[in-house]
Amino acid sequence: VSDAENWYCECPKLYTGKLCQFATCDENPCGNGATCFPKSSRDAVCLCPYGRSGILCSEAINITQPSFSGTDIFGYTSFLAYSTIPNITFYYEFRLKFQLANHHSALQDNLIFFTGQKGQGLNGDDFLELGLRNGRVIYSYNLGSGTATIISKALDLTLHIHVIHLGRNLQKGWLKVDDQKNKTVTSPGRLVGLNVFSQFYLGGYREYTPELLPKGPRFKNGFQGCIFDVQVRTSINQGFKSPGTPEGHPNSGRNVGQCKDSPCSLIKCRNGGKCIESGSTVYCDCLTGWKGAFCTETVSVCEPEHDPPHLCRQGSTCVPLPNGYTCHCPLGTTGTYCEQG
């Protein structure tokens, strides 16, 4: 933007500097493979990878029963990703249990698990997914010639833990939820094989937006609560096994905590800050005037977050003084706030 003699960069949100060259995540404070997300132009939030927790993801946690926090305020879902399940083409059975974080989450659009592909080339839009919508469990698959869907009866929310058993043999699929009756479906078209190459996602997606996924699945949010004892078999004379290589071990994950554990009970945000939990990620939401991981740093009078904002005109430099601030004017301007030519 040029202003008579003077030019300056009008920076998009979360970027600062004369040329908008500074972003919060440039000096990434997050460790151990965490996703850095800019909370503001001065502060970052670390979205922790699987097996890590804490504000900078520095603490190791042992996860036996993963808890998922749904979609966080930054639009990311918490998830676990396991290696592709082999031999799933013609026959599979899955068993799992889950516990909802609250009754409200049962009414949302929540993904429990998913594997599929994005319709690349001749590979079609094959997918397999399980989710919750309007208090019911929904099981869908597409073998390439259309989607088959089974919707359970409404969940009995007085139960603390729900049990799901589902399967498919060629075109015929079935779903059993808690002690409801078994429901069946036959997929449309002629194709009988499920061709999926993606990892097996539990609780959410790695992708930032569900729109990037194949055409069928439209579960916008990640699961909220705990999912445990996930097991699969791909032949009727096989035993059930946990997904993953080695068995039971995910390849990756984000924002996953251990069930019944509250990281916020271990973290003290200072100066009126509030601890926010999102899976295994925790951060302090600071009151106006404070910033930093534990809200211990003050916001300087010249920083954009300061309330009220300084009045130095764009292109000039705000310099803090013991009481107040002064504006250093670029060539061609003068006045208290560099407002005069």
Side-chain angles (χ1 to χ4, degrees):
V1 182
S2 80
D3 169 12
E5 297 296 299
N6 194 20
W7 65 270
Y8 59 91
C9 294
E10 222 165 57
C11 296
K13 217 176 149 191
L14 308 179
Y15 289 90
T16 55
K18 183 84 172 156
L19 303 169
C20 306
Q21 73 273 42
F22 300 125
T24 335
C25 284
D26 277 357
E27 298 90 48
N28 185 346
C30 306
N32 302 300
T35 305
C36 180
F37 191 86
K39 182 168 73 158
S40 72
S41 56
R42 289 285 185 284
D43 262 345
V45 166
C46 304
L47 308 174
C48 294
Y50 177 72
R52 291 272 165 185
S53 77
I55 282 187
L56 300 177
C57 305
S58 47
E59 288 108 67
I61 54 169
N62 180 28
I63 295 172
T64 51
Q65 296 182 336
S67 90
F68 300 87
S69 54
T71 308
D72 65 22
I73 55 172
F74 310 110
Y76 285 98
T77 58
S78 55
F79 75 89
L80 288 178
Y82 294 87
S83 48
T84 308
I85 295 171
N87 310 322
I88 198 173
T89 316
F90 301 115
Y91 181 93
Y92 58 72
E93 275 182 81
F94 284 91
R95 298 199 295 218
L96 61 88
K97 302 185 183 72
F98 67 86
Q99 181 180 10
L100 293 165
N102 49 56
H103 289 180
H104 172 68
S105 71
L107 300 174
Q108 290 182 322
D109 210 359
N110 291 347
L111 180 81
I112 298 174
F113 72 60
F114 166 84
T115 182
Q117 68 216 13
K118 301 184 186 114
Q120 290 147 345
L122 302 172
N123 293 335
D125 270 315
D126 291 21
F127 68 81
L128 155 66
E129 64 165 1
L130 181 70
L132 282 177
R133 193 175 283 139
N134 299 330
R136 297 163 190 269
V137 174
I138 300 185
Y139 161 41
S140 288
Y141 56 91
N142 183 347
L143 308 179
S145 51
T147 302
T149 301
I150 303 178
I151 300 176
S152 78
K153 285 169 62 189
L155 288 172
D156 173 357
L157 295 176
T158 62
L159 296 172
H160 285 305
I161 290 193
H162 300 278
V163 182
I164 294 181
H165 195 169
L166 63 87
R168 181 185 65 86
N169 184 16
L170 304 177
Q171 288 181 296
K172 289 200 185 315
W174 53 270
L175 168 72
K176 181 157 175 45
V177 175
D178 296 331
D179 46 15
Q180 297 180 13
K181 271 214 189 85
N182 199 12
K183 293 182 102 166
T184 58
V185 71
T186 303
S187 59
R190 296 208 170 149
L191 298 178
V192 296
L194 176 74
N195 301 301
V196 294
F197 310 111
S198 85
Q199 301 186 89
F200 177 74
Y201 289 101
L202 191 65
Y205 306 112
R206 173 186 299 282
E207 276 88 353
Y208 193 74
T209 49
E211 283 67 44
L212 295 173
L213 292 153
K215 290 193 180 60
R218 274 291 171 268
F219 287 102
K220 292 282 188 291
N221 298 304
F223 184 80
Q224 295 173 52
C226 302
I227 302 177
F228 33 91
D229 301 343
V230 180
Q231 295 181 313
V232 60
R233 68 176 178 183
T234 49
S235 140
I236 199 136
N237 20 11
Q238 233 187 21
F240 278 90
K241 282 163 58 166
S242 303
T245 324
E247 198 191 325
H249 288 262
N251 296 344
S252 64
R254 180 176 56 220
N255 266 16
V256 174
Q258 166 69 350
C259 224
K260 305 261 186 301
D261 208 12
S262 161
C264 274
S265 60
L266 310 171
I267 281 175
K268 297 283 172 278
C269 304
R270 309 284 174 197
N271 302 307
K274 199 155 110 247
C275 181
I276 308 272
E277 249 177 78
S278 177
S280 63
T281 297
V282 248
Y283 66 93
C284 293
D285 202 13
C286 307
L287 290 180
T288 306
W290 297 96
K291 62 170 188 163
F294 300 96
C295 308
T296 48
E297 299 159 51
T298 53
V299 176
S300 133
V301 65
C302 284
E303 287 179 49
E305 300 96 319
H306 190 270
D307 201 9
H310 67 79
L311 301 172
C312 301
R313 282 295 167 88
Q314 199 118 28
S316 64
T317 309
C318 173
V319 178
L321 297 173
N323 44 4
Y325 61 96
T326 180
C327 305
H328 284 188
C329 302
L331 277 174
T333 67
T334 183
T336 314
Y337 304 118
C338 312
E339 74 280 14
Q340 293 159 24

